């Protein structure tokens, strides 16, 4: 059974290849992840961790961690025979997500916000008009308010869904990339007063699923507020967890869509046409904030892999409401933060909406300010990012990572497949290990099972290392002693078997093509009756189905309609 990417390769004969921009982004993410910094109460994250984007809700460094993980999932699908770098980065992202600074809002924004009466006018669009001055702005987590009281564990809490929801998604991505149970063993999460709480990947997912089962309208993201954006990300984490761990948790999201999302968070006219989508819902005061279709754009990227039809409904109504799909109109957007445009662009490509993709792509290209650079101030300039128009030293990790997905998604439906099509064969197929990254990297790492050949293309991930002697291993070989190695179409003799299933290849850092004749012809099918619990027996398994504030995004997106009579009448 071939997955989508494998079918493409059979059709055109070419293995996926990482673009230079992707290689540069990976190099920068490696530097960020591997450079020690102190996320404890007594320290602070390095300035390159993005705690600026989408204030006041997402302006926390932990969202840089989670949004950087999506690209790593896609990278593992492109180079399934070279994943060790992605796994190491994910380990460091997840480790940081267990710290004080990851949960800083839950641990410091206690009780009602004392600044309620002094909020800037820019926050007015985020708070119900009649509650202005007596209501917490989104982003204020309000740990300790009634009826819940102070809860020290940022995961085992009633609110704070967005903390454990995005974390579950990261943990599931790690499992999908590595196949390793690293984070399904107990680890400590920092809570109030530096208390620690033991959790596992499975434990977090099951806690979230059980909690959600008891609250059909959905758990609170911050205390009092339920967001389709956060809940859909959490649901995606449960879906991928079910796929990789064999748990059964995702049904709570499916139920929420039918019993809550469509009934409480969306409004339809008498003909069943979508009229509005809620930004969030507060069940304590039974109040929905948001009355425009554009607000469906933000959760759509997480909805698509779980419910493709609903995701398309949200996406198409969102872009139609602001005229982004109308070729005769300019792309109206007055915000500096590109998030809404990026999400619209990615979803347009996901659904094959070429007109919208072309129009938003041009708009983003005029804003992206992309470049290679050296974050350490050196001369290599091997790192890459999208600086947009912030005028900052480092690319904002959240916005740059999301926009980088355009270089990793090859065509219609690829985003949805990444979270619903799990390749398990890569864990037992010939795989590169122990490469000296960040000196040496691989832009191609693919097993051609039809020929029994591992295809590799190397590159100098650090320019100054070009020409240096290096080595790497290939493991999971059927028979290490019968291997043949070619480099740049010539027999390469500098290798040795390290055991019956592994070899070590000596080479130099640089651009080289390798063909390693492994004899690997794909996973052997399991004999009937010899299945293992929670594991799949096929090659792939598919599941069916200055600081910019959030108000800038909301204003930029929702006021587009006001600038155009056609769009205004459409809503």
């Amino acid at each position: 059974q071939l997955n989508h990417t494998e079918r493409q390769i059979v059709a055109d004969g070419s293995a996926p290849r990482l673009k230079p921009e992707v290689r540069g982004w990976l190099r920068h993410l490696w530097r960020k992840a591997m450079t020690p910094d102190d996320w404890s109460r007594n320290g602070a994250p390095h300035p390159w961790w993005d705690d600026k984007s989408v204030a006041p809700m997402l302006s926390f460094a932990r969202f840089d961690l989670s949004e950087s993980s999506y690209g790593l999932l896609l990278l593992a699908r492109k180079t399934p025979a070279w994943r060790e770098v992605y796994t190491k980065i994910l380990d460091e992202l997840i480790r940081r997500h267990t710290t004080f600074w990851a949960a800083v809002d839950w641990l410091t924004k206690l009780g009602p916000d004392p600044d309620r009466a002094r909020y800037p006018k820019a926050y007015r669009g985020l708070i119900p008009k009649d509650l202005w001055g007596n209501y917490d702005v989104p982003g204020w987590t309000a740990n300790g308010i009634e009826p819940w009281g102070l809860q020290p564990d940022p995961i085992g809490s009633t609110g704070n869904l967005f903390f454990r929801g995005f974390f579950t998604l990261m943990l599931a991505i790690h499992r999908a990339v590595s196949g390793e149970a690293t984070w399904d063993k107990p680890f400590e999460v920092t809570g109030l007063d530096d208390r620690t709480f033991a959790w596992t990947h499975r434990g977090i997912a099951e806690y979230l699923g059980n909690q959600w089962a008891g609250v059909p309208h959905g758990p609170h993201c911050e205390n009092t507020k339920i967001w389709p954006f956060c809940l859909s990300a959490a649901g995606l984490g449960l879906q991928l967890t079910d796929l990789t761990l064999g748990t059964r948790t995702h049904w709570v999201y499916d139920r929420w869509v039918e019993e809550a999302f469509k009934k409480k968070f969306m409004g339809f006219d008498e003909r069943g046409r979508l009229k509005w989508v809620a930004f969030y819902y507060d069940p304590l005061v039974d109040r929905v904030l948001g009355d425009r279709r554009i607000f469906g754009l933000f959760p759509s990227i997480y909805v698509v892999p779980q419910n493709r039809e609903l995701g398309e409904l949200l996406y198409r109504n969102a872009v139609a409401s602001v005229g982004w799909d109308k070729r005769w109109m300019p792309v109206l957007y007055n915000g500096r933060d590109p998030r809404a445009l990026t999400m619209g662009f990615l979803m347009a490509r996901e659904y094959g909406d070429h007109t919208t993709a072309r129009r938003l792509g041009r708009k983003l290209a005029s804003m992206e300010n992309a470049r290679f650079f050296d974050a350490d101030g050196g001369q290599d300039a091997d790192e890459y990012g999208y600086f947009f128009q912030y005028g900052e030293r480092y690319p904002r990790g959240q916005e740059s990572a999301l926009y980088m997905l355009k270089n990793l998604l090859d065509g219609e439906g690829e985003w949805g497949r990444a979270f619903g099509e799990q390749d398990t064969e890569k864990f037992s197929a010939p795989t590169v290990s122990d490469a000296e990254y960040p000196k040496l990297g691989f832009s191609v790492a693919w097993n051609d099972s039809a020929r029994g050949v591992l295809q590799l293309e190397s590159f100098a991930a650090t320019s100054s290392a070009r020409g240096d002697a290096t080595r790497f291993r290939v493991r999971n070989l059927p028979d290490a002693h019968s291997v043949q190695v070619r480099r740049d179409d010539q027999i390469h003799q500098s290798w040795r078997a390290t055991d019956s299933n592994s070899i070590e290849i000596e080479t130099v850092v640089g651009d080289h093509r390798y063909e390693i004749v492994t004899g690997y012809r794909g996973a052997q099918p399991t004999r009937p009756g010899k299945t293992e619990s929670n594991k799949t027996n096929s090659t792939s398994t598919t599941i069916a189905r200055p600081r910019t504030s959030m108000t800038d995004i909301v204003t930029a997106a929702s006021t587009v309609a006001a600038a155009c009579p056609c769009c205004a009448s459409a809503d």
Side-chain angles (χ1 to χ4, degrees):
Q1 181 182 356
L2 302 180
N3 64 31
H4 178 79
T5 306
E6 290 168 333
R7 288 194 297 271
Q8 284 186 319
I9 291 170
V10 169
D12 64 23
S14 61
R17 179 175 286 101
L18 303 186
K19 299 176 181 178
E21 296 87 347
V22 173
R23 288 153 37 183
W25 173 74
L26 179 67
R27 181 66 180 86
H28 181 52
L29 186 57
W30 172 271
R31 187 191 293 274
K32 289 170 64 174
M34 297 301 166
T35 300
D37 57 353
D38 185 358
W39 285 50
S40 73
R41 179 188 297 273
N42 298 320
H46 191 286
W48 52 37
W49 294 108
D50 180 6
D51 62 355
K52 302 178 180 64
S53 293
V54 199
M57 279 91 72
L58 303 185
S59 51
F60 302 99
R62 73 169 177 271
F63 287 105
D64 193 342
L65 306 177
S66 58
E67 294 188 345
S68 294
S69 69
Y70 311 153
L72 296 171
L73 176 66
L74 298 175
L75 278 166
R77 290 171 60 82
K78 286 188 170 295
T79 62
W82 182 58
R83 307 181 316 279
E84 64 177 357
V85 168
Y86 316 148
T87 300
K88 289 178 180 178
I89 293 174
L90 282 165
D91 280 327
E92 291 302 315
L93 300 183
I94 291 170
R95 182 185 61 78
R96 285 177 170 87
H97 207 288
T98 67
T99 64
F100 169 83
W101 276 101
V104 64
D105 46 343
W106 187 250
L107 305 180
T108 61
K109 297 180 182 295
L110 308 179
D113 187 353
D115 290 329
R116 282 176 169 186
R118 296 183 293 275
Y119 286 154
K121 292 182 179 180
Y123 285 3
R124 285 190 176 274
L126 302 176
I127 294 174
K129 292 180 181 179
D130 59 316
L131 298 178
W132 178 257
N134 193 36
Y135 192 80
D136 292 335
V137 70
W140 185 269
T141 47
N143 184 10
I145 66 169
E146 297 302 328
W148 305 288
L150 199 63
Q151 299 185 337
D153 185 350
I155 289 179
S157 53
T158 306
N160 213 27
L161 173 280
F162 61 164
F163 181 84
R164 59 183 168 275
F166 282 97
F167 193 30
T168 302
L169 182 54
M170 289 177 65
L171 292 165
I173 287 172
H174 183 285
R175 188 60 177 255
V177 169
S178 70
E180 298 169 1
T182 307
W183 296 98
D184 208 24
K185 300 171 185 176
F187 57 87
E188 299 294 320
V189 176
T190 301
L192 205 61
D193 300 323
D194 287 333
R195 292 174 58 186
T196 59
F197 301 86
W199 285 95
T200 65
H201 176 193
R202 186 183 304 268
I204 296 172
E206 290 179 345
Y207 175 85
L208 173 55
N210 291 335
Q211 181 196 35
W212 205 333
V215 280
H217 55 58
H220 295 236
C221 296
E222 307 122 323
N223 276 341
T224 81
K225 301 176 185 67
I226 300 172
W227 295 74
F229 174 79
C230 303
L231 267 66
S232 294
L236 187 55
L238 293 180
Q239 173 174 292
L240 193 56
T241 296
D242 287 354
L243 185 61
T244 55
L245 292 188
T247 50
R248 295 180 180 274
T249 59
H250 186 256
W251 68 270
V252 295
Y253 180 79
D254 293 331
R255 183 189 67 173
W256 176 77
V257 165
E258 298 303 323
E259 298 184 5
F261 194 10
K262 292 181 179 179
K263 295 179 180 178
K264 199 70 180 180
F265 297 80
M266 301 167 67
F268 298 86
D269 64 17
E270 64 282 356
R271 298 178 61 184
R273 295 174 300 188
L274 182 64
K275 297 299 293 181
W276 57 266
V277 178
F279 206 37
Y280 66 80
Y281 167 61
D282 184 335
L284 270 66
V285 295
D286 194 26
R287 191 69 57 85
V288 168
L289 184 83
D291 61 354
R292 289 188 179 274
R293 291 181 291 162
I294 186 62
F295 294 131
L297 181 62
F298 302 104
S300 67
I301 193 170
Y302 300 107
V303 174
V304 166
Q306 304 175 78
N307 188 322
R308 190 166 182 82
E309 181 180 357
L310 177 60
E312 184 167 14
L313 176 72
L314 295 170
Y315 157 71
R316 292 197 182 275
N317 274 272
V319 297
S321 72
V322 292
W324 289 346
D325 61 342
K326 298 174 175 61
R327 61 173 56 90
W328 60 87
M329 288 181 57
V331 175
L332 301 173
Y333 191 75
N334 62 358
R336 293 176 64 232
D337 194 313
R339 181 169 301 238
L341 291 170
T342 297
M343 288 186 168
F345 176 56
L346 294 174
M347 290 300 93
R349 295 178 63 186
E350 175 73 7
Y351 284 107
D353 180 357
H354 303 299
T355 297
T356 304
R358 182 174 60 253
R359 286 162 48 76
L360 296 187
R362 289 172 179 169
K363 180 70 173 180
L364 284 161
S366 71
M367 301 167 58
E368 66 183 27
N369 193 14
R371 64 178 182 269
F372 286 92
F373 67 101
D374 188 322
D376 201 33
Q379 301 299 313
D380 282 323
D382 293 313
E383 297 162 71
Y384 187 87
Y386 298 100
F387 290 76
F388 293 103
Q389 299 167 358
Y390 297 122
E392 296 166 351
R393 180 179 177 185
Y394 307 111
R396 287 198 184 177
Q398 296 186 50
E399 306 309 325
S400 189
L402 284 175
Y403 191 47
M404 181 57 64
L405 298 180
K406 71 170 187 170
N407 295 308
L408 289 164
L409 295 167
D410 292 326
E412 185 175 344
E414 183 62 26
W415 176 254
R417 285 189 293 271
F419 292 91
E421 183 182 78
Q422 169 70 347
D423 172 23
T424 57
E425 186 181 346
K426 64 179 180 285
F427 304 134
S428 58
T431 303
V432 174
S433 68
D434 303 302
E436 289 189 280
Y437 193 85
K439 292 173 63 176
L440 179 73
F442 292 92
S443 56
V444 172
W446 189 270
N447 281 288
D448 183 344
S449 299
R451 295 191 300 137
V453 171
L454 172 60
Q455 297 176 253
L456 301 174
E457 290 187 15
S458 68
F459 66 95
T462 300
S463 297
S464 57
R466 189 180 299 276
D468 288 359
T470 189
R471 60 187 64 196
F472 62 90
R473 292 189 178 190
V474 179
R475 53 184 174 82
N476 294 344
L477 295 166
D479 180 5
H481 299 286
S482 63
V483 164
Q484 298 177 27
V485 179
R486 291 194 293 268
R487 188 182 73 180
D488 300 330
D489 298 323
Q490 302 293 321
I491 296 295
H492 186 67
Q493 302 285 8
S494 298
W495 66 274
R496 66 185 181 89
T498 56
D499 59 41
S500 61
N501 303 112
S502 302
I503 64 172
E504 182 177 78
I505 298 174
E506 295 181 358
T507 185
V508 294
V509 175
D511 300 331
H512 295 287
R513 289 181 294 105
Y514 299 85
E515 282 201 339
I516 302 171
V517 181
T518 65
Y520 178 78
R521 300 286 179 174
Q524 296 300 313
T526 303
R527 284 182 290 177
K530 298 293 184 179
T531 59
E532 297 181 66
S533 62
N534 294 343
K535 291 187 180 180
T536 171
N537 300 312
S538 61
T539 300
S540 64
T541 300
T542 303
I543 288 183
R545 351 178 212 250
R547 295 197 177 200
T548 304
S549 70
M550 176 55 102
T551 48
D552 292 327
I553 294 180
V554 173
T555 301
S558 62
T559 59
V560 169
C564 173
C566 300
C567 299
S569 61
D571 261 345

